[in-house]
Amino acid sequence: MTEVSVQGEKRNRNAAAEFTRPLLLSPSEDLAGYVMGHLGLTILFLITTTSVAAVFLIFYFVIRESLPFFTTGGGAAILARVREFFTDPGWYPSATEPRYGALALIVGSLYVTAGALVVAVPVGLLAGVFLSDIAPFNLRQICKPVIEILAAIPSVAYGFFAVMVLAPWLQTHLGFSSGTNALNASLILAVMALPTIISVSEDAMTAVGREIREASYGLGATRAETIINVVIPAGHSGILAAVILGMMRAIGETMVVWMASGNASRIPSPWWDLSQSIRTMTATIAGDMGETPKDSEHYYALFTVGLTLLLFTFSLNLLSEYLLGKARAGRGRR
Amino acid sequence: MKTLLRQIQDKGFTTASAGAVLLIAAALLVVLIPMFGRGITAVIFTETVEFRRLQKDLHGRGDNEHLARALADAAAVREPIYTMLREFSEGIDTEPLVKQARDVYQKYGEYLNYHNTPKEQYSDYRKQAKDVRDGLVDALESDDRQTVLDDLDAVLKEKDNPAFADSPAMEFFAMAQRYKKIAETVDLSHRAEYLTNLQEVTAAIRQLLGPLPGEPTPPLWMDQYGATRLDMALKARAALLYDEQWISDGPGKPMVKHIIARKEQFAGTPLEPLFDRVEADWDKLLQPRLRIYWQYFFDDWVNSHYFGGVGPEILGTLLLTLMSMCVAIPLGVISAAYLVEYAGDTVWIKIIRMCINTLAGVPSIVYGLFGLAFFVVTIGAIGKPCILAASLTLSILVLPVIIRASEEAIRAVPQTYREASLALGAGKFRTLVLVTLPAAGPGILTGIILSLSRAAGETAPILFTGVVAMGPIPNFGSPSQWLENPGSLFGWLFQPTRALSYGSYDIAVGDRISMLAPHQQFGMAMTLILLTVALNVAAILIRSRLSRKLRGC
Amino acid sequence: METPETVPLKKTDAGHAARPQQFAQAAVTESSEAVISARQFSFFYGAKCGVDQVSMAIRSGSVTAIIGPSGCGKSTFLRSINRMNDLIPGSRAQGVLAVNGHNVYDKRTNLVNLRQQVGMVFQKPNPFAKSIYDNICYGPRLQGIRSRGRLSEIVEKCLRDAALWDEVKDDLHKSALALSGGQQQRLCIARTLATRPNVVLMDEPCSALDPIATARIEDLIAQLKGAYTIVIVTHNMQQAARVSDETAFFCLGKLIEYDRTEKLFTNPSKKETEDYITGRFG
């Protein structure tokens, strides 16, 4: 044991009473602290509002560049333009009589998205259940990186795979006339939406407490019954949010659909024929914008497509926020 | 009974969900294996001497003496092949010979003029020469061996005619001599058939060994070299040795692929030994050996990615991502720190959070539109698609990723750390800078690496804001330029660039020449995946170390 | 801070420092030497009252133990002294809590100086994920001490004071997280001493430690007595009896009894106190 006093600093046992540093701020210190504190906070706040500014700028510029599409023809033409845009399936911007009907594009986007979800939702939810309820800890530690790497592969690489590997395979093994079609795009989009669906739904199901599961097991339910009857209903908001987030991922995806969907702007008919080429909103923007002169009607029309897409994902986003908020609130109550 | 059903249901459910995970793992493998398996052949492959010659010519790589020796070895075995080919093609494809005969006749006329031959003698000589020429041409154009031999004998009889002594006309007889040899061995009646096959053989040999001797140098680099890689060489060899024909066995029957050995096609001709020679001398012809072409990641391409590497694409991707990180990291980390440490639960904060979520949900192509409308069109200082516009667009794209990851990391720092620091007399800001942020460092770093990988892989936002498929490497200027004009230090920011992500699109869909070289296509995509997946694996490792540390192991 | 006369602490065989004579019989309340004094001090978390109308004075150089059942407000009171409760959103204080005669809840309190002079040791050892050396230097560096020689001196002195020097002197640049729990807690004490505090607040410093580590911390407290005013919150009554001069008993946010330790444990004046220390409580 050492002594409290050592060389250098010597301390009287009564030193405990001596407060050498003032406990009161001097007026100048007080003022400086006040100013610096508020100034610092204001700067930090302003930096934080960058995201807000970004959102507003995105909306402002996309709207600004798409408005002329509707307004160039004068007041009466606005409605006709809106009707044309949403009901005409013909997208012929470079025809002598250009037509800007985005119906086929909107349908195309929804078509591949639906195709992707048909595959991704059941697989993703089952995988989510596996990770939250079934897999032992060690297996989960292996599965998670696999899913993360699936999410990490860039979309253009998936598109490359679709064109270079999957399309020839479809052509030779399933006898399609063209390997780049709705089926190809949907399959790849499903793989891309999977990580989102899995991780969000897994979170939702993990958040359902252990007690409620134990209650169910205690009543003699099997694991499957517990999951189906208790866990999934309790986590339904989060699971729904997972599906919506997966849908957003698929509908907003550009490179894969551009490369793999065949880019023929028509509504598939018959509707179940996945081997047809289709064209999506995102692929149209990506494909056309490069050859479009600025401030042409075509340019404005492409921005209008972008605005439609933006509003679509924005409302989906609000919906998922609402659902996740509900899921969180439910968790809080419990 | 009921219990059994319930058990089956339970087992079935477990199996289905495990199956789902297996399916996902399988999907990952199905995607990654072909991409890596075929992509790696752009880097590790069996090179040929042609590749070494290419590397020497393009980059001055390799040892001069070794290469010269290798080329000499190759030339030694190539020479007989070329000779055989030339001699045989003279027999089959007589058109050049006919042309040559006419040339010789013309030269002979000039020769006579030059030597001031007397007029009567002149026309006599010309006539004789013309007879010889016509005889030769008849022989060349005839398909019947006997006629040919007779014609040639008639021509050769004129050999000692004093009119032709020491004149260019002597060439007639040399040609006749050579052609006689061919005519004695080759079945001239199948000339037309030989001709098409010969053209295929010649093309295959060009593919295999490069332009034939005496041919003019082709304008494209890709035509100036033979097969540079063993896989391409084998393809060319197959085309050389075997003919693939689709033949229908009868009317209405499907076409069936027949593979016919060229050796049989050319059986009995002087070309027949060529095919055995190619097989026997294969190693010497091309001298294949393993090559690890690590320069692939640094070299520029040649002829639309037919040769070369992805160096400028990697550089462009790095420039774009690093620039965007320069903007996004400070903004993101500060925002996250503010949201965790200072923000209350006010309306403003709710709006900010909502905006961050919205930003995360905006489709990447809309970022591209926004970047075009705002950075490229509206901000006059930028004014055109360039690295700066593209990286600013990317920085907004990754901002929510960084904010969310950093927020989570800062929130995960135990409250006791902050308390310890505050109790030691540090202010709130100092605590943040000295204790909280360093403690959250690995978590923030994980988020940053993930967003780096996201930025590196994104294509749509940079499509209209600064990326090109083919273009010059950004020009950074030189130190002397920087001294002269400090502004030139940032000149590269205002140039467009290539990038791995857009390059992968273009090489797969847009570019025609690269389709001849699939290893180049897969190589580009593999490089992109390698970059992003490596970043992700790094992030996963950092995080697992971090969680081990937090658990106290 | 420096005085010409140095009175080294003497140790008894039991490891306790000799108690200063002049304090032995001093009245507990209303002492002129009170370094911390609370008058009608209350502390609220939102609507919930954590500390209710507490008045007490803590003598300079003494060791004061605060005991009481869980949730009685003892930790809240302790953390109010150097305003660590500020971190909890929606908290507020009423009444006066003075350190050295200055009300710490004054708007113009210099929080930095207050917390440097009223140091704190927490329930769970919380060294920073830095080296031992950097942990100790954290406070001095904040005070602007940059010279390496001076810092090394402080590190050695504080580690000696915290009875840790002999164990770690060869590993000063190793991570503090590699130390055992008891060592970490002594490191935290050393780190607190490095800011040259007058008062050291200890919030159940031994609750996460094993008995041997606890004994070493108690030894350390005994050594530091006199040189520092120490306030220690503990739920361990034996510990309070062993280390403290005075003991305060809190219950439901109220100060029930505050007296010299021997008195409080042998002859408590309040029924609740007696119930608690005899184990008849709760």
Side-chain angles (χ1 to χ4, degrees):
Chain A
M1 289 293 159
T2 55
E3 294 175 339
V4 169
S5 307
V6 289
Q7 320 81 325
E9 182 148 347
K10 302 185 175 171
R11 226 186 142 96
N12 189 292
R13 74 169 74 158
N14 290 333
E18 294 166 17
F19 279 72
T20 48
R21 286 156 280 180
L23 291 177
L24 199 64
L25 289 168
S26 68
S28 65
E29 275 175 345
D30 194 15
L31 185 70
Y34 182 85
V35 171
M36 291 302 286
H38 280 253
L39 196 68
L41 276 186
T42 312
I43 291 172
L44 287 183
F45 178 75
L46 286 178
I47 290 173
T48 310
T49 51
T50 315
S51 321
V52 184
V55 169
F56 276 85
L57 285 174
I58 288 173
F59 270 91
Y60 172 74
F61 278 98
V62 173
I63 291 174
R64 193 189 78 172
E65 299 289 304
S66 52
L67 273 188
F69 176 68
F70 297 108
T71 54
T72 40
I78 294 179
L79 215 63
R81 260 291 155 84
V82 173
R83 195 177 304 130
E84 181 196 356
F85 189 79
F86 287 107
T87 59
D88 185 352
W91 178 266
Y92 305 119
S94 42
T96 41
E97 278 285 292
R99 275 165 71 192
Y100 297 101
L103 185 63
L105 311 181
I106 296 171
V107 170
S109 275
L110 295 177
Y111 192 80
V112 281
T113 304
L117 289 184
V118 165
V119 180
V121 168
V123 176
L125 292 188
L126 279 172
V129 165
F130 185 77
L131 291 182
S132 75
D133 277 74
I134 295 173
F137 180 78
N138 286 336
L139 190 56
R140 195 156 51 218
Q141 294 305 96
I142 300 168
C143 288
K144 287 223 149 181
V146 168
I147 290 161
E148 274 168 31
I149 287 176
L150 210 57
I153 297 175
S155 59
V156 67
Y158 278 116
F160 185 93
F161 174 80
V163 172
M164 301 292 296
V165 183
L166 190 55
W169 191 86
L170 288 177
Q171 239 164 320
T172 48
H173 289 86
L174 298 186
F176 290 164
S177 56
S178 161
T180 53
N181 53 28
L183 178 65
N184 189 336
S186 294
L187 281 177
I188 302 285
L189 283 184
V191 174
M192 294 181 70
L194 270 174
T196 315
I197 295 180
I198 294 172
S199 63
V200 179
S201 65
E202 189 219 335
D203 279 351
M205 285 184 269
T206 312
V208 174
R210 179 205 284 270
E211 309 80 28
I212 194 168
R213 288 186 174 86
E214 282 170 354
S216 170
Y217 287 131
L219 293 172
T222 62
R223 185 156 64 189
E225 286 162 345
T226 304
I227 293 166
I228 295 168
N229 297 328
V230 178
V231 177
I232 292 179
H236 76 277
S237 303
I239 292 170
L240 215 54
V243 173
I244 289 173
L245 288 172
M247 189 174 169
M248 278 170 65
R249 177 94 209 255
I251 209 165
E253 179 47 53
T254 309
M255 297 314 289
V256 165
V257 287
W258 189 20
M259 293 165 88
S261 70
N263 289 326
S265 70
R266 57 159 185 264
I267 295 172
S269 149
W271 64 269
W272 66 83
D273 187 2
L274 281 165
S275 69
Q276 294 177 70
S277 289
I278 47 105
R279 191 173 199 189
T280 67
M281 296 192 272
T282 49
T284 307
I285 301 172
D288 288 10
M289 189 54 97
E291 301 133 25
T292 310
K294 191 188 153 337
D295 294 334
S296 63
E297 197 170 33
H298 189 186
Y299 175 86
Y300 297 133
L302 288 176
F303 267 91
T304 312
V305 175
L307 180 63
T308 315
L309 197 62
L310 181 59
L311 292 178
F312 209 89
T313 51
F314 181 64
S315 35
L316 282 179
N317 202 19
L318 287 184
L319 187 60
S320 75
E321 286 268 294
Y322 166 76
L323 287 169
L324 284 177
K326 215 168 111 184
R328 262 193 294 274
R331 205 175 307 161
R333 248 200 334 273
R334 208 172 293 122
Chain B
M1 195 59 209
K2 187 98 192 292
T3 328
L4 185 68
L5 274 179
R6 288 177 60 197
Q7 270 178 0
I8 290 172
Q9 183 205 22
D10 190 37
K11 287 277 179 303
F13 191 74
T14 308
T15 318
S17 58
V21 171
L22 281 180
L23 189 68
I24 292 164
L28 184 67
L29 291 181
V30 164
V31 173
L32 287 186
I33 287 176
M35 301 289 261
F36 276 97
R38 299 184 64 180
I40 199 73
T41 59
V43 184
I44 302 173
F45 55 92
T46 311
E47 64 165 7
T48 65
V49 70
E50 294 293 311
F51 188 78
R52 292 162 70 189
R53 191 157 70 88
L54 171 79
Q55 290 293 310
K56 183 87 216 163
D57 293 352
L58 271 179
H59 307 286
R61 284 182 197 132
D63 187 71
N64 265 332
E65 232 172 88
H66 279 157
L67 181 62
R69 208 175 310 136
L71 282 174
D73 283 356
V77 289
R78 284 176 187 191
E79 198 45 54
I81 289 176
Y82 288 141
T83 316
M84 265 188 258
L85 190 67
R86 190 177 55 237
E87 286 181 354
F88 182 71
S89 47
E90 276 175 358
I92 296 304
D93 187 5
T94 49
E95 231 165 84
L97 285 181
V98 171
K99 195 166 167 281
Q100 199 185 346
R102 294 189 200 284
D103 282 353
V104 170
Y105 172 70
Q106 203 154 359
K107 264 189 213 143
Y108 180 66
E110 282 162 20
Y111 166 86
L112 292 180
N113 276 335
Y114 185 73
H115 288 276
N116 289 325
T117 321
K119 194 150 187 210
E120 58 280 17
Q121 208 178 353
Y122 175 79
S123 50
D124 184 36
Y125 282 9
R126 283 285 306 241
K127 194 182 169 307
Q128 287 183 35
K130 199 173 176 210
D131 289 344
V132 171
R133 183 198 75 184
D134 291 345
L136 188 58
V137 169
D138 282 349
L140 288 172
E141 284 176 348
S142 168
D143 284 348
D144 181 57
R145 183 181 288 177
Q146 205 45 55
T147 325
V148 171
L149 290 177
D150 291 349
D151 283 347
L152 286 176
D153 283 340
V155 168
L156 286 172
K157 256 186 234 142
E158 297 293 320
K159 195 179 175 188
D160 299 326
N161 190 332
F164 304 135
D166 292 333
S167 76
M170 289 309 282
E171 184 64 23
F172 283 136
F173 309 110
M175 285 169 69
Q177 207 84 52
R178 280 210 302 273
Y179 193 64
K180 192 176 172 192
K181 226 195 294 170
I182 294 166
E184 278 163 358
T185 50
V186 178
D187 182 3
L188 295 176
S189 57
H190 292 88
R191 180 136 64 183
E193 200 178 299
Y194 282 136
L195 190 60
T196 44
N197 287 335
L198 182 68
Q199 277 162 356
E200 284 172 18
V201 167
T202 315
I205 286 183
R206 255 190 228 116
Q207 281 277 308
L208 197 60
L209 304 176
L212 304 181
E215 280 183 351
T217 310
L220 288 179
W221 286 87
M222 54 182 280
D223 298 331
Q224 289 173 19
Y225 297 89
T228 52
R229 309 156 51 90
L230 187 61
D231 49 357
M232 293 172 106
L234 288 173
K235 234 184 263 171
R237 185 171 91 152
L240 175 62
L241 296 183
Y242 301 99
D243 190 16
E244 201 176 276
Q245 286 177 350
W246 291 85
I247 300 168
S248 175
D249 289 340
K253 289 195 180 156
M255 305 275 265
V256 180
K257 191 160 94 172
H258 286 258
I259 293 178
I260 302 157
R262 301 263 188 208
K263 203 173 147 189
E264 289 164 27
Q265 282 181 338
F266 290 98
T269 70
L271 205 60
E272 192 186 348
L274 181 141
F275 304 103
D276 285 336
R277 275 214 104 119
V278 168
E279 278 189 286
D281 290 337
W282 178 249
D283 280 346
K284 276 195 183 155
L285 272 178
L286 289 166
Q287 305 173 6
R289 63 179 195 190
L290 190 73
R291 168 93 180 202
I292 297 174
Y293 178 38
W294 55 269
Q295 294 100 330
Y296 180 76
F297 298 113
F298 300 95
D299 281 353
D300 196 355
W301 49 249
V302 178
N303 285 147
S304 291
H305 287 111
Y306 191 78
F307 294 133
V310 292
E313 278 82 2
I314 293 180
L315 176 72
T317 294
L318 290 180
L319 286 178
L320 286 174
T321 45
L322 295 181
M323 265 307 294
S324 64
M325 285 299 137
C326 285
V327 180
I329 290 173
L331 285 180
V333 174
I334 291 174
S335 296
Y338 179 82
L339 287 174
V340 176
E341 297 285 334
Y342 292 95
D345 205 17
T346 63
V347 178
W348 255 111
I349 300 305
K350 282 196 180 122
I351 291 176
I352 291 176
R353 284 187 189 285
M354 210 193 85
C355 284
I356 293 170
N357 287 333
T358 306
L359 217 51
V362 171
S364 53
I365 189 75
V366 176
Y367 278 104
L369 286 179
F370 163 70
L372 174 68
F374 182 54
F375 294 120
V376 176
V377 173
T378 306
I379 294 185
I382 299 177
K384 60 181 189 302
C386 61
I387 293 178
L388 184 60
S391 38
L392 286 175
T393 312
L394 282 178
S395 70
I396 297 176
L397 176 103
V398 297
L399 190 59
V401 183
I402 295 190
I403 292 179
R404 283 175 172 181
S406 310
E407 227 187 308
E408 210 166 290
I410 294 173
R411 230 181 265 285
V413 174
Q415 191 66 16
T416 56
Y417 269 47
R418 298 188 184 95
E419 286 180 346
S421 170
L422 288 171
L424 292 170
K428 212 169 171 185
F429 185 70
R430 285 206 194 185
T431 299
L432 176 66
V433 173
L434 293 176
V435 175
T436 313
L437 286 184
I444 295 176
L445 188 65
T446 310
I448 288 173
I449 294 175
L450 290 180
S451 54
L452 252 175
S453 119
R454 173 96 196 267
E458 278 294 347
T459 319
I462 55 176
L463 271 180
F464 327 126
T465 52
V467 78
V468 287
M470 317 226 151
I473 300 168
N475 176 14
F476 295 100
S478 61
S480 61
Q481 277 176 310
W482 301 336
L483 284 178
E484 215 170 277
N485 173 17
S488 70
L489 201 53
F490 303 103
W492 57 274
L493 280 173
F494 298 93
Q495 298 164 14
T497 180
R498 291 183 246 160
L500 278 175
S501 53
Y502 186 58
S504 301
Y505 163 78
D506 188 69
I507 206 170
V509 178
D511 188 339
R512 296 284 139 197
I513 292 183
S514 58
M515 296 198 180
L516 300 172
H519 59 275
Q520 295 281 34
Q521 296 178 301
F522 280 90
M524 174 97 81
M526 177 201 68
T527 312
L528 178 64
I529 297 183
L530 210 58
L531 190 73
T532 51
V533 169
L535 285 170
N536 270 270
V537 169
I540 290 170
L541 289 180
I542 291 176
R543 200 181 38 213
S544 74
R545 273 191 63 182
L546 183 71
S547 70
R548 256 207 311 275
K549 212 164 99 184
L550 284 180
R551 269 184 282 141
C553 297
Chain C
M1 188 62 70
E2 288 198 16
T3 48
E5 188 195 4
T6 304
V7 184
L9 292 167
K10 285 184 197 132
K11 284 194 310 168
T12 64
D13 288 345
H16 289 272
R19 282 186 52 187
Q21 274 302 303
Q22 73 255 45
F23 293 145
Q25 305 298 324
V28 167
T29 49
E30 297 303 324
S31 159
S32 60
E33 302 202 44
V35 61
I36 299 166
S37 62
R39 281 191 297 281
Q40 304 285 310
F41 179 75
S42 305
F43 195 88
F44 301 90
Y45 301 113
K48 197 174 148 260
C49 183
V51 175
D52 192 3
Q53 305 264 336
V54 168
S55 299
M56 68 185 287
I58 292 168
R59 213 157 33 78
S60 173
S62 68
V63 174
T64 305
I66 303 179
I67 59 170
S70 320
C72 68
K74 53 189 197 298
S75 273
T76 307
F77 178 72
L78 188 80
R79 291 163 64 94
S80 300
I81 298 173
N82 69 346
R83 286 188 54 180
M84 288 305 288
N85 281 336
D86 287 14
L87 291 178
I88 298 155
S91 61
R92 86 202 135 83
Q94 257 177 22
V96 173
L97 180 59
V99 170
N100 201 27
H102 170 81
N103 183 7
V104 296
Y105 280 90
D106 187 324
K107 267 205 164 70
R108 293 200 294 136
T109 300
N110 186 334
L111 276 183
V112 170
N113 281 355
L114 171 71
R115 287 175 180 159
Q116 278 177 359
Q117 294 176 99
V118 182
M120 187 157 201
V121 177
F122 296 84
Q123 192 165 358
K124 266 168 78 181
N126 56 354
F128 301 127
K130 300 177 180 185
S131 69
I132 295 170
Y133 183 91
D134 286 334
N135 261 283
I136 306 244
C137 289
Y138 185 80
R141 279 187 181 139
L142 287 174
Q143 292 169 18
I145 297 170
R146 287 273 173 268
S147 120
R148 282 179 161 273
R150 182 90 186 83
L151 284 174
S152 302
E153 213 173 89
I154 291 173
V155 169
E156 181 173 348
K157 173 192 171 319
C158 293
L159 284 173
R160 281 188 193 283
D161 282 0
L164 193 59
W165 175 253
D166 293 329
E167 291 161 58
V168 301
K169 64 184 172 202
D170 299 324
D171 304 325
L172 287 181
H173 293 282
K174 285 202 183 145
S175 168
L177 296 178
L179 296 174
S180 72
Q183 286 175 322
Q184 286 189 7
Q185 193 63 300
R186 275 180 282 150
L187 175 67
C188 290
I189 294 174
R191 187 175 67 183
T192 305
L193 298 184
T195 61
R196 293 182 300 143
N198 303 66
V199 179
V200 177
L201 308 174
M202 296 188 178
D203 189 358
E204 304 197 21
C206 304
S207 66
L209 303 181
D210 60 74
I212 294 168
T214 303
R216 302 208 61 174
I217 302 278
E218 286 178 11
D219 278 346
L220 178 56
I221 293 170
Q223 276 181 61
L224 297 175
K225 185 193 293 189
Y228 303 91
T229 308
I230 295 173
V231 184
I232 174 169
V233 163
T234 176
H235 56 245
N236 179 338
M237 283 177 284
Q238 283 77 18
Q239 185 173 59
R242 281 195 298 268
V243 300
S244 66
D245 303 320
E246 279 96 33
T247 301
F249 173 60
F250 274 60
C251 190
L252 297 173
K254 288 197 164 58
L255 175 64
I256 306 295
E257 186 167 355
Y258 178 40
D259 211 331
R260 284 199 296 107
T261 301
E262 301 100 285
K263 167 99 178 17
L264 189 126
F265 277 101
T266 53
N267 185 17
S269 51
K270 295 274 170 55
K271 177 83 173 57
E272 292 100 316
T273 319
E274 194 180 346
D275 286 352
Y276 181 70
I277 57 182
T278 52
R280 249 176 288 157
F281 185 89

